[in-house]
Amino acid sequence: MSEIKSTGRSIDLLLEKVLCMNILSSDYFRDLLRLKTYHEVIDEIYTTVTHVEPWMTGNCRGPSTAFCLLYKFFTMKLTVKQMHGLLKHPDSPYIRAIGFLYLRYVADSKTLWGWYEPYLKDDEEFSPGSNGRMTTMGVYVRDLLLGQYYFDTLFPRIPVPVLRTIVTNLENMKLPSKHCGTTGESTRGSEETARRPPSVKASLSVSFGQRAPHRASTRDSSPVRRTITPSYDRDADSRRSPNHHRGQSHDLTDRDSDRDKDRERERDRNRDCSRDRDRDHERDKDRERDRYRERERDRDRRHEYDSRSRDRYGRDYERSENEGHRLREGSSRHSRSRSRSRSRSQSIHERNGHDQNREKASASSNLAKLKDLYGDLNDQKEDAGKDRGPSRPSGTEEVIRLGGSTWR
């Protein structure tokens, strides 16, 4: 089923800002989050709603249960079928009234007449306000169409051409085309609204003589500030005594003095605010100065640490260079001593070999001299063996012992 043709405005812009904020911050509306379906919300309306004013009655000036449940319907975006079920519901007139309120806030103004026309002569009686004043559903619906204000809150504005068409249609049906007052006064500042402020914020504002943000005339309509302006009578004024004029001038001076006091308080408040701003500015300057000093201190520490690291690195590098130089000198000295010892051993070996060669040469020369002098012993033995005959082979060799007295 399709949704209701709406104006396209967001939920927060449908109601007045103060009323919307009070609804969203109320504990009862938070408790309504447990309701998930359309029928559960209808059962809650049937059980709890006793009037369809936007604010609660008594000292507790919060949003009413009816408007909290209406806002719950805003979040659900009802369909056409669900809306017909609300408008024709037989159990409670307050279920139907909340349905008509939903259309007045959400539906496109051009479609309002088509929704409301079948119920303009409805004779079901109920009390829309908390004062117990009874009316019929048809009169209530007509006041919703014709009124801009609803129990001291604002409806979305109906364009003038559409409103003229509605008035013409009511006249054609021979129904009243004027507001009947079942939904509060048609303007703000009435006796009813003066007797009871619409919210806690409004009551506090009335107490302090300030204007509430959601009421244009709270200060003028409050019982504390509201005065009745008498009609001007020239004859009566001429009959008044001079003391009365003095009293009037005294009242004017008192009013002027009150105004001067208010201005003086405003100046003092502005002066205090400027002094607080200057103090905050100085405090920010001091914090920025401390941060700058801390950064400079950190930079000096890092510079000192870097210089110490460079000095330590230079000393370590110089120490390593000196140790490397000593190691190189020791290795070269060791290699020189090894080469020197090697050359010395080679010279000694060469000298020993030369001496041995010399001794061998001298011995061979002595042997040659002896052979020349005495002859070769082998030759003499061969000659002697020829003379004697064959001799025994001997496996021993003759050895010439130098320095001996005989040969063997």
Side-chain angles (χ1 to χ4, degrees):
M1 184 64 70
S2 61
E3 293 182 3
I4 299 170
K5 186 179 180 181
S6 65
T7 57
R9 302 174 70 187
S10 63
I11 300 176
D12 297 337
L13 300 177
L14 296 176
L15 299 172
E16 284 191 291
K17 188 174 181 181
V18 173
L19 179 59
C20 183
M21 290 173 60
N22 277 273
I23 290 173
L24 292 176
S25 60
S26 66
D27 295 333
Y28 179 70
F29 181 74
R30 294 195 191 99
D31 189 52
L32 292 180
L33 296 175
R34 60 186 171 80
L35 304 179
K36 302 298 181 183
T37 64
Y38 161 80
H39 295 287
E40 289 177 345
V41 180
I42 289 179
D43 293 340
E44 184 71 17
I45 295 173
Y46 180 79
T47 306
T48 58
V49 174
T50 57
H51 64 86
V52 285
E53 287 190 17
W55 300 99
M56 296 173 65
T57 58
N59 294 327
C60 184
R61 299 297 299 156
S64 65
T65 57
F67 266 68
C68 289
L69 291 163
L70 176 64
Y71 199 95
K72 179 68 176 179
F73 274 145
F74 289 163
T75 61
M76 297 174 70
K77 295 183 179 180
L78 301 181
T79 62
V80 174
K81 182 179 178 180
Q82 290 173 341
M83 181 51 60
H84 282 299
L86 281 179
L87 301 182
K88 297 177 182 179
H89 206 283
D91 292 342
S92 172
Y94 297 107
I95 298 175
R96 303 177 65 197
I98 289 177
F100 288 118
L101 283 173
Y102 182 93
L103 289 172
R104 184 62 178 86
Y105 277 107
V106 174
D108 188 4
S109 57
K110 296 177 182 179
T111 64
L112 284 177
W113 179 259
W115 282 105
Y116 285 179
E117 183 184 8
Y119 307 97
L120 292 174
K121 297 180 180 180
D122 195 311
D123 57 355
E124 183 180 8
E125 292 188 350
F126 78 110
S127 173
S130 59
N131 53 7
R133 179 182 174 184
M134 302 297 289
T135 187
T136 63
M137 189 64 68
V139 176
Y140 176 75
V141 170
R142 288 199 302 271
D143 279 357
L144 291 182
L145 282 173
L146 297 172
Q148 181 67 31
Y149 296 95
Y150 180 80
F151 291 107
D152 208 55
T153 188
L154 271 173
F155 277 141
R157 185 176 297 276
I158 298 176
V160 175
V162 178
L163 187 58
R164 285 175 184 166
T165 304
I166 292 173
V167 172
T168 303
N169 293 333
L170 287 174
E171 290 174 352
N172 292 334
M173 294 177 65
K174 297 182 180 181
L175 293 173
S177 59
K178 297 294 183 181
H179 193 274
C180 297
T182 59
T183 59
E185 297 296 326
S186 59
T187 58
R188 289 186 178 178
S190 63
E191 183 65 29
E192 179 70 19
T193 56
R195 183 179 59 82
R196 185 185 53 184
S199 66
V200 175
K201 196 174 218 179
S203 62
L204 292 176
S205 301
V206 168
S207 301
F208 289 101
Q210 299 173 358
R211 180 168 296 183
H214 63 293
R215 297 187 67 207
S217 59
T218 303
R219 184 172 181 173
D220 298 332
S221 62
S222 67
V224 180
R225 302 287 181 181
R226 187 170 172 271
T227 56
I228 300 174
T229 304
S231 61
Y232 184 71
D233 189 357
R234 185 175 297 174
D235 296 334
D237 186 53
S238 63
R239 288 194 299 270
R240 284 174 188 162
S241 63
N243 292 329
H244 180 74
H245 292 288
R246 282 199 297 272
Q248 280 188 345
S249 64
H250 184 66
D251 292 339
L252 291 175
T253 55
D254 290 341
R255 213 172 290 154
D256 293 337
S257 63
D258 291 339
R259 200 175 296 117
D260 293 337
K261 287 180 181 178
D262 291 338
R263 291 199 193 97
E264 187 66 27
R265 287 195 209 96
E266 187 68 26
R267 281 198 296 270
D268 293 339
R269 195 179 301 112
N270 293 334
R271 196 180 303 115
D272 293 337
C273 291
S274 63
R275 194 178 299 117
D276 293 337
R277 283 196 298 271
D278 294 339
R279 193 178 298 115
D280 294 338
H281 185 62
E282 291 294 331
R283 196 177 296 116
D284 294 337
K285 278 186 176 179
D286 293 337
R287 289 199 196 96
E288 188 65 29
R289 199 178 298 116
D290 293 338
R291 291 195 202 97
Y292 177 76
R293 288 173 181 168
E294 189 66 27
R295 286 196 296 270
E296 290 293 329
R297 212 172 288 122
D298 293 339
R299 193 180 298 115
D300 293 338
R301 288 198 203 99
R302 286 197 298 271
H303 180 69
E304 185 178 357
Y305 178 75
D306 293 339
S307 61
R308 287 178 182 173
S309 300
R310 283 197 296 272
D311 294 340
R312 192 180 300 112
Y313 177 75
R315 287 196 297 271
D316 294 340
Y317 180 76
E318 186 177 356
R319 192 181 299 113
S320 63
E321 285 292 326
N322 293 332
E323 290 178 358
H325 184 64
R326 285 198 297 272
L327 289 174
R328 284 195 296 275
E329 284 184 352
S331 61
S332 61
R333 193 179 301 114
H334 184 64
S335 61
R336 281 200 300 272
S337 63
R338 278 198 318 194
S339 61
R340 199 176 297 118
S341 62
R342 195 182 300 115
S343 60
R344 191 179 298 116
S345 62
Q346 286 178 357
S347 61
I348 292 171
H349 187 268
E350 289 176 357
R351 194 179 302 116
N352 291 332
H354 185 63
D355 294 338
Q356 288 178 1
N357 291 332
R358 191 183 302 160
E359 289 177 358
K360 287 180 181 179
S362 62
S364 61
S365 62
N366 290 333
L367 183 58
K369 286 179 183 180
L370 288 173
K371 281 183 179 181
D372 290 338
L373 213 117
Y374 295 103
D376 194 357
L377 182 58
N378 292 330
D379 293 339
Q380 290 178 3
K381 284 183 178 180
E382 286 177 0
D383 292 339
K386 286 177 183 181
D387 292 339
R388 291 176 190 167
S391 62
R392 282 192 316 271
S394 122
T396 61
E397 295 179 356
E398 294 294 334
V399 179
I400 298 173
R401 183 179 295 174
L402 295 178
S405 58
T406 56
W407 290 93
R408 291 182 186 178

